[in-house]
Amino acid sequence: MTHDFHWSNGYPSTRTPVFARNVVATSHPLAAQAGLRMLARGGNAVDAAVATAAAMTIVEPCSNGLGSDAFAIVWDGQRLQGLNASGRAPAAWTPEWLRRTYGVDAQMPVRGWGAITVPGAVSAWAALSERYGKLPFEELLAPAIEIAERGYAVPVIVQQKWALAAKVAELVRQPGFAETFLPRGRAPQVGELFQFPGAARALRLIASTRGEAFYRGEIAAAIAAQSAAQGGAMTAADLAAHRPEWVDTVEVDYRHGYRLHEIPPNGQGIAALIALGILRHFDIGGLDPDGVESQHLQIEAMKLAFADVYRYVSEPASMGLTPADLLDDTYLAGRARLVDLKRAQPFEPGNPVKGGTIYLTAADENGMMVSFIQSNYMGFGSGVVVPGYGVSLQNRGHGFSMDAAHPNVVAPGKRPFHTIIPAFVTRDGEPQMSFGVMGGHMQPQGHLQTLVRMVDYHQSPQAACDAPRWRFNQGREINVEPHMRRDTLAGLQALGHEVAGLDDSYMDFGAGQFIWRLGDTRSEGYVAASDPRRDGAAVGF
């Protein structure tokens, strides 16, 4: 089960792998410890994941909040089960309504009420706890409540993102934002205390009602009242209609018995599957893991995947094809033949039809593993905060299209295209790794790059996490991390890749968390890694 990892790292890093039989990994140490407390009390990996997720809404508000959406993949000891807790558009949302409200040439708004779909994260916590949890739901939210009430010292990376957000005028002027997140008229400084009493109040209501207060109670009424007062379309009925959906994963076989699993559309996880399905047609394992040939192949496979995903993926009922069409091996083999080993190319969609964000993962010694992701979308999301409750609302509605001919066109009660994707790997049908790499459209790119390093190049999860990454944007344009080898960077440019500067403060090159099963979970346990690009930690016992 260890896959003959090379345990030497080889990349600049201050972190080493964590070995334990019970593990939590996420991008803030206090949240990871919240999950570990549940495991120490006899809870399972789901209990740990819910406690961690709740704490993350407090300690990393620049990425997620009580008004986020969420997805999860759970290995329950016997099988994989997915959970789609993304929310739907308000019943009033049509292209016509949006044009009347925001102008005849309007695109989907980025901030404010016109960008907010029904938040699903709280429903994910409740659904996971109800189906799989061992501890009382109220106990799971206790660490988050304590942190919100007593406050915490703001860490380095969170503060950087917070400070950058405070410079975005469109965000700062949204109702409730400045008084909530700029309590001294500015972003908190590193090490400065931030308290979140409104969120503590909301969490207590959520805990005592198992989430009902958020969708059909006091918090729902406050959200609907603020929406009505500020010209939004969301109503109490929209919130009350929300239900998370249990789903089967979609997957693709890679090599050596490894299979990658993702949540099916309306998410972009299928992009990682398509890219991996293309890449298996090349003998990438024989190439230098940090060399130009390997990186070029991965970039081109990812570009082909995005070309199809941006054209075809939406809410399943409006796609016009199925994930199986996009993952058909004959189709992927044909797409692989488009890759030119000597030059970078822009790609168009094929024809497969026949006739900001937080990620966490937890695992326990009984074998349960959880892959969970939760996000506002763009940093602080819509910028709207519900007064008195600390509910900062996502801006997932921006993911819709206003093009009537596009499968992702906005419609009442429809779920938008989603970027957040938890992932899971099995080997020969057995659980192997729960993992994710947060960061907008960087997420499937991070899934591809880290998995190739582990499977093809035997790099340990921490080394695969630490290694330099590239990020494809559009056309031939990519970004690369500063510690990529200079000869590799020069080689990519010689092939026609256009290396651009990066000014994206939220998505950058992603941030991953990884838990790899070593063998018998009651004896060998797991090895875990946490990304040095964030403030987080992998913790265990």
Side-chain angles (χ1 to χ4, degrees), residues 274 303-313 321 326 331 335 338 346-353 406:
I274 294 170
K303 287 157 64 174
L304 282 161
F306 275 132
D308 280 347
V309 165
Y310 290 152
R311 169 62 182 85
Y312 296 115
V313 171
L321 48 74
L326 291 167
Y331 175 66
R335 297 293 273 170
L338 298 176
F347 293 109
E348 298 297 326
N351 181 16
V353 181
H406 196 281

Side-chain angles (χ1 to χ4, degrees), residues 12 60 93 111-112 125 141 214 228 297 332 381 391-392 407 413 423 476 496:
E60 198 171 313
W93 275 17
R111 309 291 184 186
W125 306 347
L141 272 54
F214 194 94
L297 277 176
L332 294 178
V391 176
S392 59
R476 296 184 181 87

Side-chain angles (χ1 to χ4, degrees), residues 193-455:
L193 184 73
F194 177 73
Q195 294 171 294
F196 208 168
R201 176 187 178 192
L203 281 164
R204 288 190 182 281
L205 289 166
I206 291 165
S208 64
T209 64
R210 297 187 64 85
E212 281 296 298
F214 194 94
Y215 296 100
R216 288 164 281 277
E218 181 178 330
I219 301 172
I223 295 171
Q226 186 175 358
S227 172
Q230 295 163 354
M234 189 173 297
T235 65
D238 293 321
L239 290 157
H242 174 76
R243 299 289 187 280
E245 180 185 4
W246 293 102
V247 297
D248 292 327
T249 59
V250 289
E251 60 273 329
V252 69
D253 290 322
Y254 187 45
R255 23 179 164 255
H256 311 307
Y258 290 103
R259 174 177 286 190
L260 176 62
H261 301 258
E262 302 274 358
I263 295 286
N266 54 316
Q268 67 170 341
I270 195 170
L273 301 179
I274 294 170
L276 205 65
I278 291 170
L279 208 59
R280 71 186 176 202
H281 293 280
F282 298 90
D283 184 19
I284 195 170
L287 303 174
D288 177 352
D290 294 297
V292 62
E293 295 88 352
S294 175
Q295 303 307 307
H296 173 69
L297 277 176
Q298 293 175 64
I299 293 168
E300 297 299 280
M302 198 72 247
K303 287 157 64 174
L304 282 161
F306 275 132
D308 280 347
V309 165
Y310 290 152
R311 169 62 182 85
Y312 296 115
V313 171
S314 69
E315 178 82 313
S318 60
M319 277 180 59
L321 48 74
T322 68
D325 294 325
L326 291 167
L327 297 174
D328 178 78
D329 191 54
T330 301
Y331 175 66
L332 294 178
R335 297 293 273 170
R337 287 193 290 272
L338 298 176
V339 174
D340 188 330
L341 300 180
K342 300 299 182 184
R343 67 186 178 102
Q345 303 177 77
F347 293 109
E348 298 297 326
N351 181 16
V353 181
K354 294 183 286 186
T357 302
I358 66 92
Y359 175 81
L360 65 95
T361 179
D364 63 43
E365 62 185 279
N366 294 316
M368 180 178 280
M369 302 176 71
V370 182
S371 181
F372 184 96
I373 200 158
Q374 179 171 279
S375 174
N376 282 341
Y377 187 25
M378 295 181 178
F380 280 95
S382 67
V384 176
V385 184
V386 181
Y389 297 91
V391 176
S392 59
L393 294 159
Q394 37 84 331
N395 60 337
R396 281 292 165 188
H398 182 64
F400 280 121
S401 170
M402 293 285 278
D403 180 357
H406 196 281
N408 193 41
V409 64
V410 63
K414 184 176 181 178
R415 293 180 297 198
F417 175 82
H418 254 271
T419 57
I420 58 174
I421 50 173
F424 203 96
V425 173
T426 56
R427 187 179 191 187
D428 299 327
E430 295 297 318
Q432 185 63 78
M433 178 172 64
S434 53
F435 79 111
V437 180
M438 58 190 179
H441 78 295
M442 182 64 208
Q443 293 181 54
Q445 305 188 57
H447 290 190
L448 175 72
Q449 293 175 67
T450 54
L451 191 58
V452 165
R453 287 183 176 280
M454 284 180 261
V455 171

Side-chain angles (χ1 to χ4, degrees), residues 57-235:
T57 66
I58 308 303
V59 297
E60 198 171 313
C62 56
S63 303
N64 75 134
L66 294 173
S68 286
D69 276 355
F71 296 83
I73 300 175
V74 179
W75 176 267
D76 65 7
Q78 301 295 325
R79 63 186 292 264
L80 277 180
Q81 181 70 72
L83 180 65
N84 181 336
S86 60
R88 299 179 182 273
W93 275 17
T94 63
E96 294 73 26
W97 184 89
L98 286 156
R99 290 191 182 99
R100 286 198 307 271
T101 305
Y102 297 102
V104 293
D105 298 321
Q107 300 299 311
M108 290 301 303
V110 177
R111 309 291 184 186
W113 283 99
I116 302 168
T117 54
V118 175
V122 169
S123 73
W125 306 347
L128 286 165
S129 174
E130 181 178 358
R131 177 170 287 200
Y132 295 116
K134 291 174 63 179
L135 298 177
F137 187 69
E138 289 185 80
E139 191 170 337
L140 307 183
L141 272 54
I145 294 168
E146 179 185 7
I147 295 168
E149 289 180 338
R150 297 184 62 182
Y152 61 94
V154 174
V156 175
I157 305 301
V158 166
Q159 193 279 336
Q160 291 173 2
K161 296 183 181 298
W162 206 320
L164 287 167
K167 298 177 182 179
V168 180
E170 185 185 19
L171 185 63
V172 172
R173 66 170 174 257
Q174 296 302 325
F177 182 86
E179 50 265 51
T180 303
F181 294 119
L182 309 177
R184 301 170 182 87
R186 55 167 174 77
Q189 297 173 352
V190 173
E192 195 167 39
L193 184 73
F194 177 73
Q195 294 171 294
F196 208 168
R201 176 187 178 192
L203 281 164
R204 288 190 182 281
L205 289 166
I206 291 165
S208 64
T209 64
R210 297 187 64 85
E212 281 296 298
F214 194 94
Y215 296 100
R216 288 164 281 277
E218 181 178 330
I219 301 172
I223 295 171
Q226 186 175 358
S227 172
Q230 295 163 354
M234 189 173 297
T235 65

